[in-house]
Amino acid sequence: MEPNGKGPMLTRRQQLAGIAGGLVMGALPSRLDAAGDEPLKDLAAQKGVLFGTAISAGRSSPMADPGYGALVARECAVVVPENEMKVYVLGNDPQALNFGPADRIATFAQDHRMKLRGHTLLWNYGKYISPALAQMVEATGAEKWLRAYIAKVAGHFGDRIYSWDVINETIDPKTGEVRGTVFDKALGFDVFKIAYETAREHAPHAQRVYNDYMSWEVGNETHRAGVLRLLARFRKENVPVDALGIQSHLGNDGSHSRVQRAEWKRFLDEVVAMGYRLLITEFDINDREMPRDVARRDAQTAAVAKSYLDQMLAYPQLDQLLCWGLWDKHSWLNGFAPRADGLPQRPLPYDDELKPKPMRAAIADALRAAPVRKGIA
Ligand code: G3I
């Protein structure tokens, strides 16, 4: 039983005959029998929201797994590569980039008439800037390298990408300041001007997003304040940024308390008051602090999802909701944040066998309850 008291999203018969049986791509009906089983992309579209997921091009890709491919095609209006557009996959030399894996994802999106997001032109975080890249940037000159790289990547995809995470995670959550990478040490604030202006030049029709992981959770106060200062400076200095990407990697620390919701509202209100649109770019729920018992755990993730999405979807400026994967099987959290009891994490709307979980119902319920907006779609 779902936490909202409704029955399971798919009937037993549908599960056996359909997703769980690994249907070939495209073989799922666009709408299942019961009214409540509408694809998430359709529920979202009714409210002016694009629903989608991150996918990869490797062994866990929807191209390699027909059951997963069919599910992604049924549920999603948009996909974003989890890693394939990052510099460590594309390569450090702007004149010799490897677009193969990203192109496979672009083709999957095109074949299924899905939109494509881009992630990310500059992950301005030292941890993800290899020594070899730093060396090349210093040898070339930071401005020259950045302009050449963004021109090539944004230019390669052109209008196939409707929305780019131009810069990702540049604020240090501990200090609230810009992190201090090879780029901003050389260029200061100009790194932002150069990145967003070059993106505008080479992908003029794409939405330009600043993406970060400040969240509503306790302990994120400094991070939120730093992001607000950055967004304010973008406006002051006319940096062409359209939206704030709110990654939304959540956990369960009781953050959905009244106080915390009020803090989060204050943050979101300030962001939209500056004229930014909002999007959820990487939604999942880390269940490390939750019980072993699967039913209880799934009920908790569903409750966090509903509480969070209700608050977020109340903003008419929010028009995209992307999960960081659609099923638990290949979630990054199993590698990056394993549970102490050794059980696999269950952070996403579908389980390892592609069966819908209470979290899927929570997302559907939040979309049904959301007001209509004029979205990006
Ligand atoms: O592809 C190699 C494989 O060949 C090798 O055998 C294996 C051994 O470790 O590594 C594989 O690469 C890993 C890659 O994921 C693909 O699975 C990298 O080591 C690993 O670092 C990489 O992690 C990704 C991480 O970003 C760092 O790029 C995660 O999949 C991805 O989910 C995560 O995504 C980030 C967003 O981009 C930004 N926001 C936070 C989010 C979660 O950390």
Side-chain angles (χ1 to χ4, degrees), residues 21-222:
L23 277 180
V24 290
M25 230 170 322
L28 280 172
S30 64
R31 274 163 202 276
L32 297 183
D33 301 342
D37 289 336
E38 280 173 280
L40 291 173
K41 69 179 175 196
D42 291 352
L43 291 172
Q46 287 157 24
K47 302 302 169 70
V49 175
L50 278 172
F51 179 82
T53 184
I55 61 173
S56 80
R59 114 197 120 79
S60 53
S61 86
M63 291 83 88
D65 185 322
Y68 188 44
L71 181 73
V72 171
R74 173 184 183 267
E75 293 281 47
C76 297
V78 45
V79 289
V80 59
E82 186 169 348
N83 295 311
E84 290 73 2
M85 290 181 190
K86 293 174 180 172
V87 67
Y88 68 75
V89 178
L90 296 180
N92 297 339
D93 179 355
Q95 306 314 323
L97 298 175
N98 168 26
F99 287 110
D103 281 346
R104 287 204 292 284
I105 288 179
T107 303
F108 176 80
Q110 196 178 2
D111 288 351
H112 294 86
R113 297 206 203 109
M114 288 185 269
K115 286 177 176 280
L116 184 63
R117 287 203 76 239
H119 173 81
T120 169
L121 291 171
L122 175 60
W123 196 346
N124 200 33
Y125 185 174
K127 194 168 145 187
Y128 296 104
I129 298 173
S130 70
L133 173 59
Q135 223 170 39
M136 177 171 271
V137 170
E138 273 165 355
T140 314
E143 176 166 357
K144 192 167 169 217
W145 186 92
L146 195 56
R147 283 191 191 280
Y149 178 82
I150 293 181
K152 284 285 178 191
V153 179
H156 176 81
F157 295 101
D159 284 347
R160 286 182 294 168
I161 289 185
Y162 75 98
S163 171
W164 263 112
D165 290 336
V166 176
I167 292 187
N168 188 45
E169 298 175 7
T170 200
I171 296 295
D172 183 334
K174 290 198 194 77
T175 62
E177 302 298 329
V178 172
R179 288 184 189 274
T181 68
V182 64
F183 292 101
D184 48 66
K185 277 186 190 145
L187 299 168
F189 190 77
D190 280 356
V191 70
F192 301 106
K193 293 188 179 165
I194 292 164
Y196 283 95
E197 284 168 8
T198 310
R200 178 174 60 186
E201 192 183 333
H202 295 274
H205 307 301
Q207 177 186 50
R208 289 174 297 276
V209 175
Y210 173 66
N211 192 49
D212 211 330
Y213 58 86
M214 70 284 126
S215 87
W216 73 350
E217 293 174 326
V218 173
N220 277 248
E221 299 75 12
T222 307

Side-chain angles (χ1 to χ4, degrees), residues 17 22 26 184 191 231 237-238 286 320:
D184 48 66
V191 70
L231 295 178
E237 306 217 14
N238 289 318
N286 183 338
Q320 297 162 65

